[in-house]
Amino acid sequence: MFETVLIANRGEIALRVLRACKELGVRTAVVYSAADADSAAVRLADQAIRIGPASSRRSYLNAAAIVEAARQVGAQAVHPGYGFLSEDADFAEICADNGLIFIGPPPAVMAALADKSSARALMSRAGLPLSPGSIAPVPTAAAAAEVAETVGYPVIVKAAAGGGGRGMTVVHTPGELRRAYARTRAAAQSAFGDDRVYVERYLTEARHVEVQVLCDSHGNGVHLGTRDCSVQRRHQKLVEEAPAPALPAAVLDTIAETALRGALEVGFVGAGTLEFLVDAEERFHFLEINCRIQVEHPVTEMVTGIDLVHEQLHIAAGVPLRWRQEEIRLHGVAVECRVNTEDPERGFAPTPGRLERFTPPGGPFTRVDTHASAGYLVGPWYDSLLAKVIVWAPDRELALNRLERALDEFDIAGPGVHTTIPFVRRVLDDAAFRKGRYTTGLVDRLLGVPGAAPAQRPTATPAQRPTASPAPRPSPAAQPDVTHRRTR
Ligand code: MV4
């Protein structure tokens, strides 16, 4: 195991990684910006290195300053957390060039998977079913129109360099396509310096189901089941749960096993997440793979009993995977909600300010991951995640009741500070959500967004349900450019 790890992040995830390191007897060093000098991670770390002003660009995104901090403290490895440099293959490469282990996949694997178009091609070759659409980037508006005609409208134009919902445009009719295509390319060029885009059929009323995998550097891998992350607003997740509800165990197993096969096939190493959409017919479609620890990782920890950050550290240190698939048992249900300092009544605008009161919930099977405490100053510089409340229970109904109980206990107050708790309560009260029959359309419906679908059952009745079958494994030579023919 490492002697010293540098934590290149802030907020609750810096604290989460720090705790894992301490539990494994690893010395901790944390970098911080001028805005985070009083943070809990700075207080608890063995060493803390100030790397710049509040501006992310000049601190948590400053690769040179982070590498210099690692050199100063004699760290062998860097944990990037999530966000910031966590998915930056160039940063992983810079770490390697400086003799540092980046806690994540090898830089070349990261680069291939960060490109969503390339990830689609690799996963398709590994036999994963993709959302219908193009695999290679689509070079012209005319080519985009051809793909759209083949898969059928609505379609979604996605930036190859995007991900996590950034750089996507939904197109409902052929008349809108040319402009949407041009606009997405221009936006991708300005956001990512890369204007390549691809086109998929836009699947409405689908569920966002993701699979947690752990793969070591010796070719071994396990999956840790599924999470449902359909409750999102503008691609910010609000509520996540494990396992994905209201799907037959056989379907979940097929998705999880398929995901693991894909991860191993592309040489993935570390903790990763493969995202899928599951449609009303319970067919699943690969979307993208995330090469980092995710915000919602605790729900998987609660149902498996496995500390994912411990596993990341062991994998990065070259230790063979400590779990066989048969040893991983899913137990009960875990639900997480994010508490952001945002005002749901004002379009979820951030509400920075000082917290006069901050009393997190307690009680059985109730975990709160937060860096905040009474007196904490929520600044305007970083994302507004203040806390995550995660509960576990033997069944989903009790887990949801327990989460409501925990949120009732949470006391957060400060001048001008609002939180997303009132909105999360509405989600937990929603009839479709309570039944586990909700889709990516849930939040827009609750917000009354025009065009949002009314409440409905996303799941086929048992009589209509197709039998789960493993994904077909087309040979590379037989790989079509467009993955599915239009069926209606
Ligand atoms: C989609 C989709 C529907 N069809 N792609 C959003 C985040 C990124 N990882 C992929 N995302 C989606 N891609 C196709 N072809 C739906 C989503 C999506 C979503 C869309 C609208 C509102 C909420 C959503 C929640 C999760 C995923």
Coordinates of all heavy atoms in Angstrom, one line a residue, residues 189-243:
Q189 N -17.2 22.8 -29.9 CA -15.8 23.4 -30.2 C -15.5 24.4 -29.1 O -14.3 24.4 -28.6 CB -15.9 24.1 -31.6 CG -14.6 24.8 -32.0 CD -13.4 23.7 -32.2 OE1 -13.6 22.7 -32.7 NE2 -12.3 24.1 -31.6
S190 N -16.4 25.2 -28.7 CA -16.1 26.3 -27.7 C -15.9 25.7 -26.3 O -15.1 26.1 -25.6 CB -17.1 27.4 -27.8 OG -18.0 27.4 -26.8
A191 N -16.7 24.6 -26.0 CA -16.6 24.0 -24.6 C -15.4 23.1 -24.5 O -14.8 23.0 -23.5 CB -17.9 23.3 -24.3
F192 N -15.2 22.3 -25.5 CA -14.2 21.2 -25.4 C -13.0 21.3 -26.4 O -12.1 20.5 -26.4 CB -14.9 19.8 -25.6 CG -16.2 19.7 -24.9 CD1 -17.3 19.5 -25.7 CD2 -16.3 19.7 -23.5 CE1 -18.6 19.4 -25.0 CE2 -17.5 19.5 -22.9 CZ -18.6 19.4 -23.6
G193 N -13.1 22.3 -27.3 CA -12.0 22.4 -28.3 C -12.1 21.2 -29.3 O -11.0 20.8 -29.8
D194 N -13.2 20.6 -29.5 CA -13.4 19.4 -30.3 C -14.8 19.4 -30.8 O -15.8 19.4 -29.9 CB -13.1 18.2 -29.4 CG -13.3 16.9 -30.1 OD1 -13.9 16.8 -31.2 OD2 -13.0 15.8 -29.5
D195 N -15.0 19.6 -32.1 CA -16.4 19.8 -32.5 C -17.0 18.5 -33.1 O -18.1 18.6 -33.7 CB -16.5 20.9 -33.6 CG -15.8 20.5 -34.9 OD1 -15.2 19.5 -35.0 OD2 -16.0 21.3 -35.9
R196 N -16.4 17.3 -32.8 CA -17.0 16.1 -33.4 C -18.3 15.8 -32.6 O -18.4 15.9 -31.4 CB -16.0 15.0 -33.3 CG -14.8 15.1 -34.2 CD -13.7 14.1 -33.9 NE -13.4 14.1 -32.5 CZ -13.4 13.1 -31.7 NH1 -13.5 11.9 -32.3 NH2 -13.1 13.2 -30.4
V197 N -19.3 15.4 -33.3 CA -20.6 15.0 -32.7 C -21.1 13.7 -33.3 O -20.7 13.3 -34.4 CB -21.7 16.1 -32.9 CG1 -21.3 17.4 -32.3 CG2 -22.1 16.3 -34.4
Y198 N -22.0 13.0 -32.6 CA -22.6 11.8 -33.1 C -24.1 12.0 -32.9 O -24.6 12.8 -32.1 CB -22.0 10.5 -32.6 CG -22.0 10.4 -31.1 CD1 -23.0 9.5 -30.5 CD2 -21.1 11.1 -30.3 CE1 -23.0 9.4 -29.1 CE2 -21.2 10.9 -28.9 CZ -22.1 10.1 -28.3 OH -22.1 9.9 -26.9
V199 N -24.9 11.1 -33.5 CA -26.4 11.2 -33.5 C -27.0 9.9 -33.0 O -26.6 8.8 -33.5 CB -26.9 11.6 -34.9 CG1 -28.4 11.6 -34.8 CG2 -26.3 12.9 -35.4
E200 N -27.9 10.0 -32.0 CA -28.6 8.8 -31.5 C -30.1 9.0 -31.5 O -30.5 10.2 -31.4 CB -28.2 8.5 -30.0 CG -26.8 8.2 -29.7 CD -26.5 8.0 -28.2 OE1 -27.5 8.2 -27.4 OE2 -25.4 7.8 -27.9
R201 N -30.8 8.0 -31.6 CA -32.2 8.1 -31.3 C -32.4 8.6 -29.9 O -31.7 8.1 -29.0 CB -33.0 6.8 -31.5 CG -34.5 7.0 -31.2 CD -35.4 5.9 -31.7 NE -36.7 6.2 -31.2 CZ -37.7 6.5 -32.0 NH1 -37.5 6.6 -33.3 NH2 -38.9 6.8 -31.5
Y202 N -33.3 9.6 -29.6 CA -33.6 10.0 -28.3 C -34.6 9.2 -27.6 O -35.7 9.1 -28.1 CB -34.0 11.5 -28.3 CG -34.2 12.1 -26.9 CD1 -33.2 12.1 -26.0 CD2 -35.4 12.6 -26.5 CE1 -33.3 12.7 -24.7 CE2 -35.6 13.1 -25.2 CZ -34.6 13.1 -24.4 OH -34.7 13.6 -23.1
L203 N -34.2 8.5 -26.6 CA -35.1 7.5 -25.9 C -35.8 8.3 -24.8 O -35.2 8.7 -23.8 CB -34.3 6.3 -25.4 CG -33.5 5.5 -26.4 CD1 -32.6 4.5 -25.7 CD2 -34.4 4.8 -27.4
T204 N -37.1 8.4 -24.9 CA -37.9 9.1 -23.9 C -38.4 8.1 -22.9 O -38.5 6.9 -23.2 CB -39.0 9.9 -24.5 OG1 -39.8 9.1 -25.3 CG2 -38.5 11.1 -25.3
E205 N -38.8 8.5 -21.7 CA -39.4 7.6 -20.8 C -38.6 6.4 -20.5 O -39.1 5.3 -20.4 CB -40.9 7.3 -21.2 CG -41.8 8.5 -21.2 CD -41.9 9.2 -19.8 OE1 -42.0 8.5 -18.8 OE2 -41.8 10.4 -19.8
A206 N -37.3 6.6 -20.5 CA -36.4 5.4 -20.2 C -35.8 5.6 -18.8 O -35.9 6.7 -18.2 CB -35.3 5.4 -21.2
R207 N -35.2 4.6 -18.3 CA -34.6 4.7 -17.0 C -33.1 4.7 -17.2 O -32.5 4.1 -18.0 CB -35.0 3.5 -16.1 CG -36.4 3.6 -15.7 CD -36.8 2.4 -14.9 NE -37.4 1.4 -15.7 CZ -38.1 0.4 -15.1 NH1 -38.3 0.4 -13.8 NH2 -38.7 -0.5 -15.9
H208 N -32.4 5.6 -16.3 CA -31.0 5.7 -16.4 C -30.5 4.7 -15.3 O -30.6 5.0 -14.1 CB -30.6 7.1 -16.0 CG -29.2 7.4 -16.1 ND1 -28.3 7.1 -15.1 CD2 -28.4 8.0 -17.1 CE1 -27.1 7.5 -15.5 NE2 -27.1 8.1 -16.6
V209 N -29.9 3.6 -15.8 CA -29.4 2.6 -14.9 C -27.9 2.5 -15.1 O -27.5 2.4 -16.3 CB -30.1 1.2 -15.2 CG1 -29.5 0.1 -14.4 CG2 -31.6 1.3 -14.9
E210 N -27.2 2.5 -14.0 CA -25.7 2.4 -14.2 C -25.2 1.2 -13.4 O -25.8 0.7 -12.4 CB -25.0 3.7 -13.8 CG -25.3 4.2 -12.4 CD -24.7 5.6 -12.2 OE1 -24.6 6.4 -13.1 OE2 -24.3 5.8 -11.0
V211 N -24.0 0.7 -13.8 CA -23.4 -0.5 -13.2 C -22.0 -0.1 -12.6 O -21.2 0.5 -13.3 CB -23.3 -1.6 -14.2 CG1 -22.6 -2.8 -13.5 CG2 -24.6 -2.0 -14.8
Q212 N -21.8 -0.4 -11.3 CA -20.5 -0.2 -10.7 C -19.6 -1.4 -11.0 O -20.0 -2.5 -10.7 CB -20.7 0.0 -9.2 CG -19.4 0.2 -8.5 CD -18.8 1.6 -8.7 OE1 -19.4 2.6 -8.5 NE2 -17.5 1.6 -9.2
V213 N -18.4 -1.1 -11.5 CA -17.5 -2.2 -11.7 C -16.2 -1.9 -10.9 O -15.8 -0.7 -10.7 CB -17.1 -2.5 -13.2 CG1 -18.4 -2.9 -13.9 CG2 -16.5 -1.3 -13.8
L214 N -15.4 -2.9 -10.6 CA -14.1 -2.8 -10.1 C -13.2 -3.7 -10.9 O -13.5 -4.9 -11.0 CB -14.0 -3.2 -8.6 CG -14.6 -2.3 -7.5 CD1 -14.6 -3.1 -6.2 CD2 -13.9 -1.0 -7.4
C215 N -12.1 -3.2 -11.5 CA -11.2 -4.0 -12.3 C -9.8 -3.8 -11.8 O -9.4 -2.6 -11.6 CB -11.3 -3.6 -13.8 SG -13.0 -3.9 -14.4
D216 N -9.0 -4.8 -11.6 CA -7.7 -4.6 -11.1 C -6.7 -4.6 -12.3 O -7.1 -4.7 -13.5 CB -7.3 -5.7 -10.1 CG -7.2 -7.1 -10.7 OD1 -7.1 -7.2 -12.0 OD2 -7.1 -8.1 -10.0
S217 N -5.4 -4.4 -12.1 CA -4.5 -4.3 -13.1 C -3.9 -5.6 -13.6 O -3.0 -5.7 -14.3 CB -3.3 -3.4 -12.7 OG -2.8 -3.9 -11.4
H218 N -4.6 -6.7 -13.2 CA -4.2 -8.1 -13.6 C -5.3 -8.7 -14.5 O -5.3 -10.0 -14.7 CB -3.9 -8.9 -12.4 CG -3.0 -8.2 -11.4 ND1 -1.6 -8.2 -11.6 CD2 -3.2 -7.5 -10.3 CE1 -1.0 -7.5 -10.6 NE2 -2.0 -7.1 -9.8
G219 N -6.3 -7.9 -14.9 CA -7.3 -8.5 -15.8 C -8.5 -9.1 -15.1 O -9.4 -9.7 -15.7
N220 N -8.6 -8.9 -13.7 CA -9.7 -9.4 -13.0 C -10.8 -8.3 -12.8 O -10.4 -7.1 -12.6 CB -9.3 -9.9 -11.6 CG -8.2 -10.9 -11.6 OD1 -8.3 -11.9 -12.3 ND2 -7.1 -10.5 -11.0
G221 N -12.0 -8.7 -12.7 CA -13.1 -7.7 -12.5 C -14.3 -8.2 -11.8 O -14.5 -9.4 -11.9
V222 N -15.0 -7.4 -11.1 CA -16.3 -7.7 -10.5 C -17.3 -6.6 -10.8 O -16.8 -5.4 -10.9 CB -16.2 -8.0 -9.0 CG1 -15.4 -9.3 -8.7 CG2 -15.7 -6.8 -8.2
H223 N -18.6 -6.9 -10.8 CA -19.5 -5.8 -10.8 C -20.2 -5.8 -9.4 O -20.2 -6.8 -8.7 CB -20.6 -6.0 -11.9 CG -21.5 -7.1 -11.7 ND1 -22.5 -7.1 -10.8 CD2 -21.6 -8.3 -12.4 CE1 -23.2 -8.2 -10.9 NE2 -22.6 -9.0 -11.8
L224 N -20.7 -4.6 -9.0 CA -21.3 -4.4 -7.7 C -22.8 -4.0 -7.9 O -23.3 -3.2 -7.2 CB -20.6 -3.4 -6.9 CG -19.2 -4.0 -6.4 CD1 -18.1 -3.7 -7.4 CD2 -18.8 -3.4 -5.0
G225 N -23.4 -4.5 -9.0 CA -24.8 -4.3 -9.2 C -25.1 -3.0 -9.8 O -24.2 -2.3 -10.3
T226 N -26.4 -2.6 -9.7 CA -26.9 -1.4 -10.5 C -27.3 -0.3 -9.5 O -27.5 -0.5 -8.3 CB -28.2 -1.8 -11.2 OG1 -29.1 -2.4 -10.3 CG2 -27.8 -2.9 -12.3
R227 N -27.4 0.9 -10.1 CA -28.0 2.0 -9.4 C -29.0 2.7 -10.4 O -28.7 2.7 -11.6 CB -27.0 3.1 -9.1 CG -25.9 2.6 -8.2 CD -24.9 3.8 -7.7 NE -24.0 4.2 -8.8 CZ -22.7 3.9 -8.8 NH1 -22.2 3.1 -7.8 NH2 -21.9 4.3 -9.7
D228 N -30.1 3.2 -9.9 CA -31.0 4.0 -10.8 C -30.7 5.4 -10.5 O -30.7 5.9 -9.3 CB -32.4 3.6 -10.5 CG -33.3 4.3 -11.6 OD1 -33.2 5.5 -11.8 OD2 -34.2 3.6 -12.2
C229 N -30.4 6.2 -11.6 CA -30.1 7.6 -11.4 C -31.0 8.4 -12.4 O -30.5 9.4 -13.0 CB -28.6 7.9 -11.7 SG -27.5 7.0 -10.7
S230 N -32.2 8.0 -12.5 CA -33.1 8.7 -13.4 C -33.6 10.1 -12.9 O -34.1 10.9 -13.7 CB -34.4 7.8 -13.7 OG -34.0 6.6 -14.2
V231 N -33.5 10.3 -11.6 CA -34.0 11.5 -11.1 C -32.9 12.6 -11.2 O -32.0 12.8 -10.4 CB -34.4 11.4 -9.6 CG1 -35.0 12.7 -9.1 CG2 -35.4 10.2 -9.4
Q232 N -33.0 13.3 -12.4 CA -32.0 14.3 -12.7 C -32.7 15.6 -13.2 O -33.7 15.5 -13.9 CB -31.1 13.8 -13.8 CG -30.3 12.5 -13.5 CD -29.3 12.2 -14.5 OE1 -28.9 13.1 -15.3 NE2 -28.8 11.0 -14.5
R233 N -32.1 16.7 -12.8 CA -32.5 18.0 -13.4 C -31.3 18.6 -14.1 O -30.3 18.8 -13.5 CB -33.0 18.9 -12.3 CG -33.5 20.2 -12.9 CD -33.8 21.3 -11.9 NE -33.8 22.6 -12.6 CZ -32.7 23.3 -12.9 NH1 -31.5 22.9 -12.5 NH2 -32.8 24.4 -13.6
R234 N -31.5 18.8 -15.4 CA -30.4 19.3 -16.2 C -29.1 18.5 -16.0 O -28.0 19.1 -15.8 CB -30.1 20.8 -16.0 CG -31.4 21.6 -16.3 CD -31.0 23.0 -16.9 NE -32.2 23.7 -17.2 CZ -32.4 25.0 -17.1 NH1 -31.4 25.8 -16.6 NH2 -33.5 25.6 -17.4
H235 N -29.3 17.2 -15.9 CA -28.2 16.3 -15.8 C -27.4 16.4 -14.5 O -26.3 15.9 -14.3 CB -27.2 16.3 -17.0 CG -28.1 16.2 -18.2 ND1 -28.8 15.1 -18.5 CD2 -28.3 17.1 -19.3 CE1 -29.5 15.3 -19.6 NE2 -29.2 16.5 -20.1
Q236 N -28.1 17.0 -13.5 CA -27.6 17.0 -12.1 C -28.5 16.0 -11.4 O -29.7 16.1 -11.3 CB -27.7 18.3 -11.4 CG -26.7 19.4 -11.9 CD -25.3 19.0 -11.6 OE1 -25.0 18.4 -10.6 NE2 -24.4 19.3 -12.5
K237 N -27.9 14.9 -10.9 CA -28.7 13.9 -10.2 C -29.1 14.4 -8.8 O -28.4 15.2 -8.2 CB -27.8 12.6 -10.0 CG -27.5 12.0 -11.3 CD -26.4 10.9 -11.2 CE -26.1 10.4 -12.6 NZ -24.8 9.6 -12.6
L238 N -30.4 14.1 -8.5 CA -30.9 14.5 -7.2 C -31.1 13.4 -6.2 O -31.0 13.6 -5.0 CB -32.3 15.2 -7.5 CG -32.2 16.5 -8.3 CD1 -33.5 17.0 -8.8 CD2 -31.6 17.6 -7.4
V239 N -31.6 12.2 -6.8 CA -31.8 11.1 -5.9 C -31.3 9.9 -6.7 O -31.4 9.8 -7.9 CB -33.3 10.9 -5.7 CG1 -33.6 9.6 -4.9 CG2 -34.0 12.1 -5.0
E240 N -30.6 9.0 -6.0 CA -30.0 7.8 -6.6 C -30.3 6.6 -5.7 O -30.4 6.8 -4.4 CB -28.5 7.9 -6.8 CG -28.1 9.1 -7.6 CD -27.5 10.2 -6.7 OE1 -27.8 10.2 -5.5 OE2 -26.7 11.0 -7.2
E241 N -30.5 5.4 -6.2 CA -30.7 4.3 -5.4 C -30.1 3.0 -5.9 O -29.8 2.9 -7.1 CB -32.3 4.0 -5.2 CG -33.0 3.8 -6.5 CD -34.5 3.5 -6.2 OE1 -34.8 2.6 -5.4 OE2 -35.4 4.3 -6.7
A242 N -29.9 2.1 -5.0 CA -29.3 0.8 -5.4 C -30.1 -0.3 -4.7 O -30.4 -0.2 -3.5 CB -27.8 0.7 -5.1
P243 N -30.4 -1.4 -5.4 CA -30.3 -1.7 -6.8 C -31.4 -0.9 -7.6 O -32.3 -0.3 -6.9 CB -30.5 -3.2 -6.9 CG -31.4 -3.5 -5.8 CD -31.0 -2.6 -4.7

